[in-house]
Amino acid sequence: MNETAHNKKLFIETVGCQMNVLDSELVVAALRQDGYELTPSMKEADTILFNTCSVREHAEEKIYSQLGRLKYSKDARPNLVIGVMGCMAQKDQKIIFRRAPHVDLIVGTGQLAEIPRLIDESRKGEKRQMAVSLGRKDGSRLEVSSSFQSYDPLRDPEMRPSPHQAFVRIMFGCDKFCTYCVVPTTRGPEQSRQPSDIRRESEALAAQGVKEITLLGQTVNSYKHTEEGRLYRMSDLLESLHDIEGIQRIKFVTNYPKDMTDDLLQAIRDLPKVSHYLHVPLQHGCDDMLKKMKRGYTVAEYRDMMHRIRETIPGVSVSSDFIVGFCGESDEAHQKSMDVVREFRFKNSFIFKYSERSGTKAADNYPDDIPDDVKKARNNEMLTLQNAISAEDNADFIGRTVEVLVEGPSKNAVKAEQNRPSNAGPDQLVGRSRCDRIVVFNGNPRLIGTIAHVSVQDCTPTTLMGNIVTQTHQHGSNMLPILQ
Ligand code: 5AD
Ligand code: SF4
């Protein structure tokens, strides 16, 4: 028994998007069934897994340099199993063995269920095993789709961002083929999961005490699945999950601008558990660039969508992604991106320097011709502008009361806790408002996992700070307008 435990210590590092966080949770759950326990120390582990991201080169290079450093550990401990899973495994495949010959396993995003078996075989002496799905052009659509296995029923609460929050995948893959993006290759064809499976999984999570589910897909609002003769769109799915007891909030990421239909906006407005927050990446403010990116919409069409969103859901917040320094981006084109940041007043924007990815249409057709220092300067300029807007819009919340789903102790509180006796002062908690703003306040840890009302006193560009509004006032003095 002791020997088994001793032999089965897993270290897993996850980079990239929420999809990867979820994949790691599923893999850990499967390995736990096999008797593995997690260790936070690479040195203690006998199995090391990297769950990787290929969206930008930088993330890949960091993994390759970590793999390089592990060569010495592998020489010293030949029993150590080192695995690379996720997007980089699917994209680079054997290249990983070439660049890091001491790697034992390469497992693509669609083969994660194979990991326990492959680790076992590796321990028994099988060298260099690889399980990847078919490339997009390596078979019929059905063949390629089915080579990406669905793998979602196993869950591991310890791997979650917090015990009350969980991700639920509703879609696999992507079919949009934006010219800069590697995801349609690494995650395969778009496939929507069955509504009844999604519901069953969400119910099981609620039974484990989860209060907030975040539905995941590369383009969640493109969700479509026909089950027992009924077509479920994203709006129908939200409605069908809404009555699950225990779930207090439902979020979903990421949205595709062209698929933001009115039925979805109305569902968000009408279903009280659904977060009033939409992440709808615009990517660029210049039509020529959007065309080159093959995003499928113009700025004017995005503007129409924004009007529909804001008209239908008062108080909604919208966030975006932007790419700066895409192929041939002139100063003028960049200024158009700055203009849309000013115009649309996103809650926040994730801004990325363009990174050429082999195998994409942009890599094949357009030179990556914007120097890195120009990309960096444009990135900083846009970030400064976005931060100023976020600060201004957050300041509007001062004096208002917001409804917060309490997530846990704030990060600062966790750090402080390590340096102070446990009974010193009140606890600092963190949660999110219905429009997804981070809210920090002092309160009893018993509030974690519940909805609290917080009166906002101060803010930064990223955070609102406030005090709990007690519900026991006698003369309605707490009848502040409850906001998003
Ligand atoms: N270079 C830079 N950013 C990229 N993204 C996707 N591909 C690239 C790339 N090649 C960004 C997009 C996307 C986010 C997840 O990552 O903005 O929305
Ligand atoms: Fe990539 Fe475009 Fe699909 Fe998003 S919609 S994952 S950017 S191809």
Side-chain angles (χ1 to χ4, degrees), residues 55 173-184 218-219 254-257 281 283 293-295 321 323:
V55 167
C174 182
D175 279 348
K176 308 292 188 204
F177 286 100
C178 303
T179 55
Y180 52 80
C181 187
V182 80
V183 169
Q218 307 303 335
T219 59
T254 281
N255 293 282
Y256 188 63
Q283 309 293 5
M293 291 175 167
K294 200 172 152 285
R295 286 291 288 176
D321 294 352
I323 295 178

Side-chain angles (χ1 to χ4, degrees), residues 106-117:
I106 294 172
V107 187
T109 54
Q111 304 288 325
L112 302 182
E114 303 300 316
I115 287 183
R117 181 179 64 77

